Amino acid sequence: METNEQGYTSLNDRFLEELGLIKNTAELITLRARYIGKNGYVTAALKTLVGLPPELRGNVGRLINEDKNLITSALKEKEEELKKLEISRKITSSKIDITLPGYYKKAGGRHPVSIVMREVIDVFVSMGFSIEDGPEVETDYYNFEALNMPKDHPARDMQDTFYINTDYVNTGTPSAHNAGNTEGDVLLRTHTSAVQIRVMQREVAKSKEMQRSAPPLRFIAPGKVYRRDSDITHTPLFHQIEGLMVDTDISFANLKAVLEGFLQLVFDRRLPVRFRPSFFPFTEPSTEVDIGCFFCKQTGCRICKGTGWIEILGAGMVNPKVFQMVGYDPEHYCGFAFGMGIERITMLKYGIDDIRLFYEGDLRFLRQF
Ligand code: PHE
């Protein structure tokens, strides 16, 4: 500890010189310890007071305390200054730009075919139809036979069928005998019409058990169907909705009313609707239903192939032979059935010209729905 004749040399100059060199808080902390810490210069100076002649003690003590106050407040000031400096340095050097927009959180969405499937279901549910389900792996009986398409019936050629090698299904390995031979009784259903048979059979069995007559029916059957077909309007897997209404007094007029009402609701506009004679083995008479082409206002375009009409579904009055097959008395019951492809309706609703877009999983396509 330096002393002059009065017993003390001020620490101020030295301190201020050192303070001027401080560049950060860490350095400031050491500087503070060196001057006013427990083993600091100021503390040491105060300890020398006892060794001084009593007449000097008061003055020197006061000087040391003045220095101490000055040092303390200078340190405090420097501390604040450094803090501000460090914050602004952090802001300017930081790599985080808080003004940038946040990351877009990608949420999944409904597939366009599912959107339209739900819309179609909603329309029929609003008309009082219930919903039925059936297996996608079907037997020849439900898919063809009971729908008035016995083996070798030419109408089977209307739908190219995926047959399932039953040896493979039963044993898990294709037998040498059956390898390459896929013709069998088990298949992937080619249409949802198979559900008509399953539901009617079930209801007949139930009513027999309860000793009452078979009930009237009003249901739709949405689901996947499979055909060996692939081009810009066909995929091997697609979706259909089947409809069946059975009672003792159902007429073709009822069929017309239900389908015309449905088409206006699902396409959300007043549409010309045309019932064209056609053929299905399971309906008699049969019809194909066309809607007026809304792309060209029926003047003829690529989509309606210049005809002004777009085919949208198949329908007809339930063939009495089908009623007979499932045990509904054809003398007593009548009804109508219809079936339509959901992909086709979706393509028309959204103006999509290639069905394969639905199954390629391209997000640039799917994000638009
Ligand atoms: N099942 C027919 C098809 O897939 C459609 C249809 C259903 C026709 C019901 C008439 C009655 O083409």
Side-chain angles (χ1 to χ4, degrees):
M1 176 83 275
E2 276 179 66
T3 50
N4 60 8
E5 7 359 321
Q6 272 118 38
Y8 175 68
T9 303
S10 173
L11 293 162
N12 278 352
D13 291 346
R14 201 171 128 200
F15 169 77
L16 290 173
E17 200 178 304
E18 286 197 52
L19 187 68
L21 301 173
I22 294 297
K23 288 185 298 293
N24 55 49
T25 311
E27 288 177 12
L28 186 82
I29 287 167
T30 11
L31 184 70
R32 180 191 287 131
R34 282 182 39 237
Y35 277 86
I36 56 173
K38 227 167 49 194
N39 301 310
Y41 302 133
V42 176
T43 322
L46 286 167
K47 279 181 188 157
T48 63
L49 283 178
V50 275
L52 288 180
E55 65 273 22
L56 282 180
R57 266 182 222 161
N59 262 343
V60 173
R62 194 160 26 80
L63 287 174
I64 297 176
N65 270 324
E66 275 173 21
D67 278 2
K68 188 179 179 178
N69 288 339
L70 190 137
I71 289 171
T72 308
S73 66
L75 280 169
K76 189 147 212 141
E77 223 170 84
K78 189 77 179 178
E79 191 180 3
E80 305 276 293
E81 190 189 308
L82 282 174
K83 250 188 210 152
K84 276 188 199 144
L85 202 75
E86 276 161 19
I87 288 171
S88 72
R89 214 183 281 151
K90 234 182 214 165
I91 289 172
T92 48
S93 72
S94 174
K95 293 281 179 291
I96 297 169
D97 180 352
I98 58 166
T99 65
L100 280 174
Y103 285 111
Y104 167 59
K105 194 131 186 157
K106 295 181 190 89
R110 220 158 254 153
H111 191 279
V113 171
S114 300
I115 294 172
V116 173
M117 181 70 107
R118 279 168 183 247
E119 281 173 16
V120 172
I121 290 173
D122 279 354
V123 171
F124 285 112
V125 166
S126 78
M127 293 181 182
F129 284 74
S130 58
I131 299 170
E132 295 282 357
D133 204 3
E136 289 168 30
V137 177
E138 256 303 1
T139 59
D140 184 275
Y141 179 78
Y142 289 104
N143 196 76
F144 292 125
E145 196 99 27
L147 287 160
N148 194 30
M149 277 183 273
K151 293 229 155 64
D152 302 323
H153 193 290
R156 287 193 179 205
D157 296 342
M158 288 164 80
Q159 302 168 356
D160 269 320
T161 311
F162 284 111
Y163 286 94
I164 290 178
N165 184 329
T166 47
D167 269 16
Y168 186 81
V169 170
N170 293 335
T171 64
T173 44
S175 72
H177 163 71
N178 218 19
N181 171 21
T182 54
E183 200 77 21
D185 276 343
V186 183
L187 46 80
L188 296 179
R189 67 178 179 192
T190 58
H191 53 183
T192 43
S193 299
V195 185
Q196 287 186 34
I197 306 301
R198 288 190 171 271
V199 172
M200 285 194 282
Q201 261 188 3
R202 183 191 71 204
E203 291 305 317
V204 166
K206 240 196 262 174
S207 55
K208 275 197 182 129
E209 210 173 285
M210 297 166 79
Q211 301 188 333
R212 54 160 170 73
S213 51
L217 298 172
R218 183 170 52 181
F219 69 83
I220 51 168
K224 293 182 174 70
V225 298
Y226 302 83
R227 290 183 198 177
R228 298 174 54 155
D229 229 346
S230 196
D231 57 44
I232 65 162
T233 52
H234 298 87
T235 42
L237 177 158
F238 62 104
H239 297 78
Q240 281 191 332
I241 287 196
E242 190 81 9
L244 183 67
M245 188 155 173
V246 175
D247 208 333
T248 53
D249 53 357
I250 306 285
S251 72
F252 199 91
N254 297 133
L255 171 64
K256 279 191 77 174
V258 165
L259 291 181
E260 278 177 3
F262 157 74
L263 290 169
Q264 313 232 336
L265 281 171
V266 96
F267 286 102
D268 201 22
R269 66 192 98 201
R270 288 197 78 80
L271 280 170
V273 178
R274 176 172 86 170
F275 289 75
R276 196 162 29 80
S278 186
F279 173 80
F280 298 102
F282 35 94
T283 48
E284 183 58 38
S286 301
T287 177
E288 274 171 303
V289 182
D290 300 338
I291 52 174
C293 182
F294 46 81
F295 292 99
C296 62
K297 297 210 167 66
Q298 294 194 277
T299 56
C301 66
R302 194 173 51 88
I303 292 170
C304 59
K305 296 189 191 94
T307 66
W309 295 95
I310 299 171
E311 184 195 321
I312 198 78
L313 54 83
M317 303 308 291
V318 178
N319 193 320
K321 283 190 183 153
V322 173
F323 280 139
Q324 225 159 25
M325 289 280 229
V326 294
Y328 264 81
D329 180 2
E331 295 296 321
H332 201 59
Y333 290 92
C334 53
F336 64 74
F338 58 84
M340 65 189 89
I342 301 302
E343 278 79 353
R344 184 164 172 70
I345 296 175
T346 310
M347 288 170 80
L348 292 170
K349 277 195 71 146
Y350 292 110
I352 297 162
D353 59 7
D354 188 340
I355 195 172
R356 292 170 296 198
L357 285 166
F358 290 137
Y359 299 108
E360 283 168 348
D362 189 331
L363 291 176
R364 290 169 303 177
F365 171 73
L366 295 172
R367 283 210 183 101
Q368 298 177 68
F369 300 92

